[in-house]
């Protein structure tokens, strides 16, 4: 069974090489490697690739035959060759789709479909973005090795499938999410640092921008243009609601890391700072929530007013830089002491925007009747979203970012993610797949 698959992918790669598309040839090579594994999701992905390859050969064969017929050239031999190649590819697909294929690729069958969907969605989105962004060379592979974008796209799909496998398990997701998030932040700021040192191709436009989340909206309000990051933010909020703040924000990973320092210090010293009953960080005071909205309104209004008044870019950049440094000070001085993500829940203007616009998305976190008030969810919530009042209400506060740590911590199955029309289990899988896909896409395209 493996031999027909490898031969089919080799023929597709050879056709790409003949066309001078070495990046596509390398991508077909990755697909051949997936077909050699015993992973159930890889089988589904290889099946999709083989089916598409069979259609490609059929379409190409028809075009070549029509060309030869139009010029009165012999076409029977060519038609036979193309039919044989298409037949071989579809036969490989048929074998992989059968019982022998299922038995060989038996690892991870319970998450095969979600992970395969994550692969296909990530590949599709990045391929579409690569084709549609004519003004910018979006992928780094195309910048440093022109034409190798397809290889990066396929590898991003593999990464999305791997990340989805981690996020699909509620218990593993509690540890995997902050690690994946930290990886994205490290790549984001690593590229920025190298761009500062002179590797300008690592920057999105070759120009430097301050990495302050508030500028995602404040920047376009000031300049009247430059909405790429704003579009990414808007799409992620429409798809995942406020989860942008807990999965995709390049600064939020810093606040998460700072908030975890308190727990690590408490374990080391055998004592902690101020906490609530049942463990975990104490809720922020009411005035902090009000301050957050006032600060967001002030920042965005000031950006718009400075733009309309013709304020110098240097002045605006200085103000933005000072605001960003103030945010870092909040993380280091408050988040690390309270064990609460104070920057994200009481300071960041884009966090407020994400929470507000996130209500448009259909995802909701609910507390079911099985809740025993054991406090396990309170101990892991870092977004000031859960307390006794919210548990009684059956839902978290507006500051909830759907990080879902509370679901993984709940031993009674009372905390659940809901999506209209489907069961909580299906909602969890759909959310995990979308989160993994957007994470993989952002990892490849989100740069300053």
């Amino acid at each position: 069974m493996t031999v027909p698959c490898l031969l089919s992918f080799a023929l597709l790669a050879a056709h790409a090489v003949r066309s001078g598309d070495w990046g596509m040839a390398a991508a077909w090579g990755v697909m051949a490697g997936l077909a050699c594994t015993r992973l159930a999701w890889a089988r589904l992905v290889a099946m999709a690739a083989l089916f598409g390859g069979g259609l490609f050969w059929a379409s190409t064969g028809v075009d070549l035959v029509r060309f030869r017929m139009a010029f009165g050239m012999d076409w029977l031999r060519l038609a036979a060759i193309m039919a044989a190649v298409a037949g071989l590819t579809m036969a490989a697909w048929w074998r992989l789709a059968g019982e022998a294929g299922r038995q060989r690729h038996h690892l991870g069958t319970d998450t095969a479909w979600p992970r395969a969907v994550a692969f296909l969605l990530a590949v599709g989105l990045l391929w579409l973005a690569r084709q549609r962004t004519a003004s910018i060379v979006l992928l780094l592979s195309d910048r440093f090795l022109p034409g190798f974008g397809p290889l990066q796209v396929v590898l991003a799909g593999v990464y999305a499938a791997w990340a989805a496998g981690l996020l699909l398990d509620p218990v593993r997701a509690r540890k995997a999410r902050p690690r994946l998030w930290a990886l994205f932040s490290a790549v984001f700021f690593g590229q920025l640092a190298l761009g500062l040192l002179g590797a300008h191709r690592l920057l999105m436009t070759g120009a430097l921008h301050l990495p302050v989340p508030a500028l995602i909206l404040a920047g376009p309000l000031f300049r009247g243009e430059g909405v790429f990051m704003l579009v990414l933010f808007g799409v992620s909020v429409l798809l995942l609601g406020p989860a942008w703040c807990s999965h995709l924000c390049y600064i939020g990973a810093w606040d998460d890391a700072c908030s975890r320092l308190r727990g690590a210090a408490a374990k080391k010293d055998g004592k902690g700072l101020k906490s609530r009953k049942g463990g975990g960080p104490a809720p922020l005071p009411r005035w902090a929530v009000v301050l957050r909205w006032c600060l967001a309104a002030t920042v965005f209004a000031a950006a718009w007013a400075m733009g309309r008044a013709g304020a110098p870019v240097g002045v605006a950049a200085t103000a933005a830089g000072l605001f960003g440094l103030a945010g870092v000070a909040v993380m280091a001085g408050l988040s690390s002491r309270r064990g609460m993500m104070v920057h994200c829940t009481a300071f960041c203007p884009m966090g407020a925007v994400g929470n507000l616009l996130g209500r448009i998305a259909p995802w909701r976190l609910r507390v079911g009747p099985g809740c025993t008030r054991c406090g396990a969810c309170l101990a892991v919530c870092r977004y000031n979203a859960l307390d006794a009042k919210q548990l009684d209400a059956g839902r978290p506060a507006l500051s909830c970012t759907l990080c879902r740590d509370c679901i993984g911590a709940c031993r009674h199955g009372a905390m659940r993610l809901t999506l209209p029309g489907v069961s909580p289990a299906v909602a969890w899988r759909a959310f995990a797949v979308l989160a993994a896909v957007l994470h993989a896409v952002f990892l490849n395209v989100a740069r300053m």
Side-chain angles (χ1 to χ4, degrees):
M1 174 178 34
T2 304
V3 173
C5 289
L6 293 179
L7 184 57
S8 298
F9 285 126
L11 289 171
L12 289 165
H15 178 79
V17 170
R18 188 171 182 272
S19 303
D21 192 349
W22 288 92
M24 194 67 227
W28 286 121
V30 173
M31 296 305 306
L34 289 177
C36 291
T37 70
R38 296 185 179 275
L39 298 171
W41 72 265
R43 165 180 165 268
L44 297 175
V45 167
M47 285 170 53
L50 288 171
F51 190 82
L55 295 179
F56 167 77
W57 286 127
S59 175
T60 301
V62 169
D63 290 341
L64 291 176
V65 167
R66 284 179 176 175
F67 175 81
R68 286 181 170 253
M69 291 178 67
F71 286 89
M73 303 169 64
D74 176 54
W75 57 270
L76 289 175
R77 181 167 170 265
L78 174 64
I81 293 174
M82 297 303 295
V85 172
L88 171 66
T89 305
M90 296 308 293
W93 169 82
W94 183 263
R95 282 285 289 168
L96 205 57
E99 184 61 29
R102 284 191 289 271
Q103 290 181 0
R104 173 178 170 77
H105 298 79
H106 62 277
L107 299 179
T109 55
D110 56 330
T111 59
W113 276 103
R115 296 177 72 178
V117 170
F119 176 97
L120 295 174
L121 283 177
V123 167
L125 288 174
L126 285 173
W127 192 275
L128 181 64
R130 180 175 181 260
Q131 299 298 320
R132 295 295 183 182
T133 51
S135 60
I136 299 176
V137 180
L138 195 62
L139 301 179
L140 289 181
S141 56
D142 283 324
R143 294 188 177 194
F144 290 95
L145 294 171
F148 271 78
L151 175 60
Q152 182 178 348
V153 168
V154 172
L155 290 177
V158 174
Y159 177 81
W162 173 75
L166 297 176
L167 296 178
L168 283 166
D169 185 335
V171 177
R172 295 175 68 191
R174 278 186 57 199
K175 293 184 178 180
R177 179 190 61 84
R179 292 172 181 174
L180 293 173
W181 194 13
L183 172 63
F184 165 65
S185 181
V187 171
F188 182 92
F189 282 101
Q191 292 177 156
L192 176 60
L194 292 174
L196 283 170
L197 294 174
H200 300 299
R201 283 189 292 180
L202 290 173
L203 304 175
M204 179 59 70
T205 61
L208 182 63
H209 303 275
L210 291 174
V212 179
L215 294 184
I216 293 176
L217 178 56
L221 286 174
F222 174 78
R223 299 188 303 268
E225 60 180 3
V227 297
F228 179 78
M229 289 297 293
L230 185 59
V231 169
L232 285 181
F233 173 81
V235 169
S236 67
V237 170
L238 288 175
L239 292 176
L240 285 183
W244 181 86
C245 294
S246 58
H247 291 74
L248 303 170
C249 176
Y250 42 87
I251 283 289
W254 293 21
D255 202 24
D256 179 75
C258 288
S259 69
R260 294 176 189 274
L261 293 176
R262 174 186 181 272
K267 289 180 180 179
K268 182 178 180 181
D269 299 337
K271 59 182 180 179
L273 299 174
K274 184 179 179 183
S275 63
R276 63 178 125 192
K277 183 179 179 180
L284 298 179
R286 177 66 180 173
W287 61 262
V289 178
V290 176
L291 175 64
R292 177 195 201 194
W293 294 99
C294 293
L295 189 60
T298 301
V299 168
F300 296 136
W304 181 85
M306 291 174 70
R308 304 294 78 75
V313 174
V315 173
T318 299
L322 291 174
F323 185 80
L325 290 175
V328 174
V330 169
M331 297 180 208
L334 296 178
S335 297
S336 61
R337 289 186 58 82
R338 295 190 65 100
M340 179 75 72
M341 296 176 65
V342 180
H343 172 271
C344 293
T345 58
F347 184 84
C348 179
M350 290 310 295
V353 173
N355 287 142
L356 189 61
L357 294 183
R359 306 304 293 178
I360 300 174
W363 309 100
R364 296 293 183 270
L365 188 67
R366 292 292 180 257
V367 184
C371 179
T372 64
R373 305 301 191 269
C374 67
C377 58
L378 306 183
V380 299
C381 181
R382 303 176 187 277
Y383 285 95
N384 200 41
L386 288 174
D387 55 24
K389 180 180 178 181
Q390 300 304 146
L391 292 180
D392 290 337
R395 59 182 181 274
L398 183 63
S399 58
C400 175
T401 64
L402 300 181
C403 73
R404 303 168 298 142
D405 285 357
C406 56
I407 298 178
C410 182
R411 299 184 295 271
H412 308 286
M415 308 295 298
R416 58 180 183 269
L417 186 69
T418 66
L419 181 66
V422 301
S423 67
V426 174
W428 175 276
R429 289 196 164 202
F431 188 93
V433 167
L434 284 177
V437 169
L438 288 180
H439 168 68
V441 171
F442 272 49
L443 191 64
N444 282 270
V445 304
R447 300 190 300 278
M448 296 304 291

